[in-house]
Amino acid sequence: MDATRLIAVRHGETAWNVDTRLQGHLDIALNDKGLWQAARVARARAPEPIAAVYSSDLARAWQTAEAIAAGHGLAVQAAPRLRERAFGEFEGRTFLDIERELPEQAERWRKRDPDFAPPGGGESLTQFRLRVTEAVAELADRHPGQLVVLVAHGGVMDLLYRAATGQELQAPRTWQLGNAHINRMLWTGQGLTLVGWADDGHLAGDDALDEQAAA
């Protein structure tokens, strides 16, 4: 089967990214800088023969995807399984809030315990990985030999990098997950292969926040 070429893009910046406030499944729109970043991604990808644009159904990803799709005369296709990890009671809190108010849970989260699910309906990393990797496999299988854009969230980008490089869920992160960075992979029946990561040349002079500091 011909490989599917994937461009995976984290959404543009939101006010909650700036505040280091966990968004999870809460529906937060892009701020002005995020809208500018989305436009820059769209312009950078305009010459490429994109066959489809899939996006998380949350506004921050959807707005980013719409900018990319518009330049190709495409409609964004919803992929709810590309949503960010569900963080339960963590959502709406800053990193400092979580450390102060839920110290035991915060420690398990920081240590990347794969079976820890934040209280109040959160997902474990194991559950999250299964959701995302199954979704990406199904979407990529629809487009052998074509170029497809996936717009999602920092946590999704992290899982895709791990899948493409063989990194374990608990491995310390050493790669960037900046807002509106462009990441490239190949998909075959054998899985994902990394082609390029964290391309931010289209954001010249912009300091995109890394997901480590703003999920």
Side-chain angles (χ1 to χ4, degrees):
M1 184 179 73
D2 291 337
T4 304
R5 291 174 293 147
L6 300 175
I7 295 175
V9 179
R10 184 186 175 204
H11 61 79
E13 184 181 282
T14 72
W16 281 26
N17 289 147
V18 177
D19 292 343
T20 69
R21 194 174 299 278
L22 280 181
Q23 297 170 110
H25 283 194
L26 296 180
D27 206 9
I28 312 301
L30 298 179
N31 61 16
D32 288 344
K33 182 176 178 179
L35 292 169
W36 177 84
Q37 291 171 332
R40 298 287 290 190
V41 174
R43 185 164 69 178
R45 301 283 63 81
E48 298 192 80
I50 294 170
V53 178
Y54 294 97
S55 176
S56 157
D57 58 347
L58 295 174
R60 55 196 186 272
W62 194 264
Q63 289 175 290
T64 307
E66 283 186 319
I68 299 168
H72 295 269
L74 297 170
V76 180
Q77 300 183 58
R81 286 184 295 167
L82 294 182
R83 281 187 173 201
E84 181 60 277
R85 180 180 175 185
F87 282 107
E89 292 179 12
F90 286 8
E91 293 182 2
R93 287 180 158 104
T94 67
F95 291 178
L96 289 177
D97 290 338
I98 295 166
E99 295 283 359
R100 182 176 61 251
E101 298 167 13
L102 300 166
E104 293 181 8
Q105 293 94 328
E107 183 178 9
R108 294 185 68 187
W109 175 44
R110 292 294 187 195
K111 289 182 176 179
R112 299 189 60 84
D113 180 340
D115 298 318
F116 168 66
E123 287 178 289
S124 70
L125 281 173
T126 301
Q127 293 169 324
F128 183 35
R129 177 175 61 182
L130 181 63
R131 165 164 68 83
V132 169
T133 54
E134 286 185 346
V136 170
E138 290 178 21
L139 295 175
D141 279 342
R142 297 178 190 176
H143 300 277
Q146 295 181 315
L147 175 63
V148 174
V149 173
L150 308 176
V151 184
H153 307 267
V156 174
M157 297 300 125
D158 178 66
L159 290 180
L160 294 181
Y161 186 94
R162 291 173 190 274
T165 60
Q167 301 277 342
E168 296 294 333
L169 281 176
Q170 289 179 284
R173 185 184 302 158
T174 58
W175 48 94
Q176 290 186 309
L177 300 172
N179 289 111
H181 284 188
I182 293 168
N183 310 296
R184 294 181 183 271
M185 290 161 283
L186 292 177
W187 167 263
T188 66
Q190 285 69 51
L192 289 169
T193 303
L194 189 68
V195 176
W197 197 259
D199 178 1
D200 63 352
H202 54 293
L203 302 174
D206 176 53
D207 295 324
L209 292 174
D210 187 81
E211 199 266 348
Q212 292 268 51

